């Protein structure tokens, strides 16, 4: 039993989980199937094979197997940074004067600075197993592209990343990171695809968008032998891989002798939120526990709090299947907030169903509130959080302040999805008073 002043709870390498948790097998209402927009038929795993690797396609639709083995080679790679620490935020608690116990799972310690590597490594491994030689993807701010570049290198696969042109120019360090890990990075729109050419012919100065970059990456995957497309959020298999976060946290909370009353994560497409939440949510589903789960999204892109539950496309151009999700509409253009990873118009299908069924909650956070929370966290816990993660911290502070009013000693766990050391321009803007 640990003393109650322990700061960080660490697991040994042997305690890195050997299985991911597939919540689809236990949901009271399964996600309704995605639909092929041409045939209107429900989508099957085979429909994804031309673009995604087969194992990930199967995992996407697996509603039977509760536990999915983590391949040994992926666990070996996880050892480079896992387990990640569970940290008691004594400094933040003190600054808030709250009776709440605040813990955070520190995913920022991964070599790429975010949780995204947990799925990138799995996807690269399965691609390698299936004889894939090239992977392609899109990236906005560059977090996912960086994770994929690292993972491709780890498994000996070539990576081609289409980076939204404006980010390519404004965030040179994430581009350098991707190139350092050996990826080929192309600003999108580019002349290397039809989708890109079409846009540049009409509009030579187009600054790019995630929707266009997705179209370019999918086109490259379709046109190139042994090349697969990979995605860093939204899809169910991505969230499955992220459950390693919550499974570790469950063991670490046990070391701390506590169990969370509230679990909080920021929300882009849902992978880090699902990753930390689902392993705890399974004890709600079985009736043993009554934890609350809060997804914190930006007020500028409020799909969970203000969106509509319906079938919608995953991309701007409408190339993807129709997915049942909370959405602001696939042509929704969010303001250019600094939390680039939270600007997606829709939510993953599992999280959408859970929200519809009242099993999770959502809140929205304004940009100034998110940075105020991030700065307080940096000053009290010593870690500069990613602009995305700041939303989880702001929601945590709101809960902790409520505990101060009621005197409740609640246990709050949040996911620190990444650090902000490559996002200091955003902090500069905040500190200069330019965020309104
Ligand atoms: C991409 C990203 C997110 C948002 O993606 P989810 O799939 O919702 O987790 C959050 N935080 C960081 C640091 C990211 O890189």
């Amino acid at each position: 039993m640990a003393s109650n002043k322990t700061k960080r709870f660490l697991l040994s390498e042997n305690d890195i989980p050997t299985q991911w948790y597939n919540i689809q097998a236990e949901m009271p209402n399964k996600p309704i199937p995605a639909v092929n927009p041409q045939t209107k038929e429900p989508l099957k795993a085979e429909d994804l094979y031309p673009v995604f690797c087969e194992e990930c396609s199967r995992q996407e639709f697996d509603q039977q197997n509760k536990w999915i083995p983590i391949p040994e080679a992926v666990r070996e790679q996880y050892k480079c940074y896992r387990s990640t620490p569970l940290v008691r935020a004594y400094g933040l608690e003190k600054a808030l004067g709250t009776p709440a116990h605040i813990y955070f799972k520190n995913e920022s310690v991964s070599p790429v600075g975010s949780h995204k590597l947990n799925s990138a490594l799995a996807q690269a491994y399965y691609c390698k197993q299936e004889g894939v030689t090239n992977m392609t993807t899109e990236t906005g701010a560059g977090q996912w592209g960086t994770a994929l570049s690292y993972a491709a290198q780890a498994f000996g696969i070539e990576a081609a990343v289409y980076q939204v042109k404006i980010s390519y120019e404004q965030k040179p360090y994430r581009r350098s990171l991707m190139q350092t890990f050996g990826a080929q990075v192309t600003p999108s729109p580019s002349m290397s695809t039809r989708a890109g050419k079409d846009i540049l012919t009409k509009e030579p100065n187009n600054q790019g968008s995630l929707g266009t970059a997705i179209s370019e990456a999918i086109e490259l995957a379709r046109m190139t032998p042994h090349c697969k497309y990979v995605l860093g959020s939204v899809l169910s298999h991505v969230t499955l891989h992220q459950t390693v976060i919550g499974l570790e946290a469950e063991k670490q909370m046990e070391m701390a002798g506590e169990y969370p009353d509230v679990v909080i994560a920021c929300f882009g497409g849902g992978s880090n939120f699902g990753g930390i939440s689902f392993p705890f949510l399974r004890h709600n589903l079985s009736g043993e526990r009554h934890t609350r789960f809060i997804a914190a999204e930006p007020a500028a892109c409020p799909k969970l709090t203000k969106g509509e539950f319906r079938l919608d496309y995953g991309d701007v151009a409408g190339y993807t299947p129709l997915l049942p999700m909370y959405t602001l509409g696939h042509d929704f253009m969010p303001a250019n907030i600094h939390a680039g990873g939270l600007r997606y118009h829709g939510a993953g299908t599992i999280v959408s169903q859970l929200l519809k069924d009242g099993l999770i909650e959502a809140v929205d956070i304004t940009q100034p509130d998110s940075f105020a929370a991030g700065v307080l966290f940096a000053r009290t816990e010593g870690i500069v959080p990613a602009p995305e993660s700041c939303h989880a911290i702001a929601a945590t502070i709101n809960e902790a302040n409520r505990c101060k009013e009621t005197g409740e000693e609640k246990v709050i766990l949040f996911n620190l999805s990444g650090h902000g050391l490559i996002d200091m321009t955003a902090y500069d803007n905040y500190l200069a008073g330019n965020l309104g």
Side-chain angles (χ1 to χ4, degrees):
M1 192 59 196
S3 98
N4 59 9
K5 286 307 274 183
T6 305
K7 177 74 178 165
R8 300 193 311 154
F9 298 88
L10 302 166
L11 299 170
S12 77
E13 285 184 358
N14 291 335
D15 286 323
I16 297 173
T18 55
Q19 299 172 315
W20 293 298
Y21 171 59
N22 178 21
I23 197 171
Q24 291 199 73
E26 298 199 300
M27 289 167 69
N29 296 313
K30 312 280 184 204
I32 54 175
V35 172
N36 179 322
Q38 274 85 45
T39 64
K40 308 282 183 238
E41 293 291 317
L43 206 68
K44 298 183 298 299
E46 299 86 272
D47 298 326
L48 299 184
Y49 291 176
V51 175
F52 290 93
C53 78
E54 296 189 6
E55 183 56 28
C56 291
S57 307
R58 284 191 289 271
Q59 289 176 356
E60 188 64 24
F61 295 98
D62 186 343
Q63 300 189 335
Q64 250 74 54
N65 299 297
K66 179 173 161 189
W67 297 103
I68 308 290
I70 304 178
E72 207 36 54
V74 175
R75 273 190 92 237
E76 283 303 313
Q77 288 295 331
Y78 277 174
K79 287 180 187 173
C80 295
Y81 62 104
R82 308 207 70 84
S83 67
T84 65
L86 176 81
V87 187
R88 174 85 183 261
Y90 289 113
L92 181 61
E93 287 174 17
K94 190 163 167 229
L96 297 172
T98 177
H101 295 188
I102 304 175
Y103 293 83
F104 63 94
K105 182 72 169 151
N106 188 0
E107 290 296 306
S108 83
V109 302
S110 98
V112 298
S114 80
H115 69 288
K116 291 227 168 60
L117 197 51
N118 300 329
S119 182
L121 285 167
Q123 296 193 53
Y125 168 79
Y126 291 125
C127 281
K128 185 72 181 179
Q129 286 299 100
E130 292 174 23
V132 170
T133 55
N134 294 67
M135 293 190 297
T136 179
T137 195
E138 74 289 332
T139 198
Q143 296 269 29
W144 168 243
T146 307
L148 201 266
S149 306
Y150 177 105
Q153 182 64 32
F155 286 103
I157 302 176
E158 299 293 325
V161 180
Y162 288 95
Q163 185 172 21
V164 177
K165 190 180 279 168
I166 186 142
S167 307
Y168 181 91
E169 283 159 7
Q170 290 181 351
K171 304 202 187 243
Y173 293 130
R174 284 250 165 66
R175 171 178 48 72
S176 329
L177 266 175
M178 290 187 264
Q179 289 168 335
T180 301
F181 288 129
Q184 186 202 323
V185 186
T186 308
S188 166
S190 75
M191 293 301 278
S192 70
T193 64
R194 268 231 24 218
K197 259 187 220 157
D198 283 351
I199 290 173
L200 287 176
T201 320
K202 282 189 219 120
E203 212 191 312
N205 289 324
N206 187 292
Q207 291 300 291
S209 71
L210 219 40
T212 305
I214 294 177
S215 308
E216 289 206 87
I218 292 181
E219 190 180 320
L220 184 72
R222 283 188 186 281
M223 307 308 276
T224 316
H226 311 295
C227 177
K228 292 293 173 191
Y229 171 69
V230 288
L231 196 59
S233 181
V234 185
L235 293 179
S236 302
H237 68 269
V238 181
T239 307
L240 170 75
H241 305 150
Q242 295 296 350
T243 58
V244 68
I245 303 173
L247 291 166
E248 282 182 5
E250 198 187 348
K251 291 186 193 169
Q252 290 164 310
M253 289 299 306
E254 219 172 282
M255 290 167 76
E258 305 220 68
Y259 192 90
D261 298 304
V262 189
V263 176
I264 299 174
C266 67
F267 196 96
S271 79
N272 93 92
F273 172 77
I276 191 156
S277 297
F278 294 171
F280 292 100
L281 184 51
R282 83 183 200 274
H283 302 300
N284 278 25
L285 295 178
S286 69
E288 289 160 76
R289 297 280 185 179
H290 301 93
T291 302
R292 291 170 57 212
F293 300 91
I294 304 177
E297 60 182 8
C301 193
K303 56 231 161 200
L304 296 176
T305 53
K306 310 231 163 49
E308 192 190 348
F309 183 84
R310 63 177 169 89
L311 286 170
D312 195 10
Y313 291 105
D315 66 327
V316 180
Y319 286 179
T320 72
L322 286 161
L323 306 165
M325 59 184 182
Y326 276 93
T327 176
L328 294 162
H330 65 280
D331 51 0
F332 177 79
M333 282 289 164
N336 199 8
I337 52 168
H338 287 287
L342 307 185
R343 293 180 68 229
Y344 190 66
H345 67 275
T349 62
I350 295 178
V351 170
S352 293
Q353 187 64 47
L354 294 171
L355 182 67
K356 192 161 178 281
D357 291 342
L359 295 166
I360 62 167
E361 307 164 38
V363 294
D364 57 19
I365 306 285
T366 66
Q367 182 159 255
D369 283 355
S370 72
F371 279 102
V375 168
L376 179 63
F377 187 76
R379 291 179 185 174
T380 53
E381 293 296 326
I383 302 170
V384 177
E388 291 83 2
S389 315
C390 290
H391 293 74
I393 300 172
T396 299
I397 291 174
N398 290 343
E399 285 298 317
N401 284 339
R402 226 159 279 146
C403 289
K404 193 173 165 179
E405 284 164 26
T406 61
E408 285 173 292
E409 231 180 71
K410 280 192 186 159
V411 178
I412 306 173
L413 167 65
F414 78 86
N415 193 41
L416 184 71
S417 54
H419 68 64
L421 295 177
I422 307 177
D423 303 287
M424 293 316 290
T425 327
Y427 280 87
D428 278 348
N429 279 317
Y430 173 72
L431 295 171
N434 294 339
L435 297 184

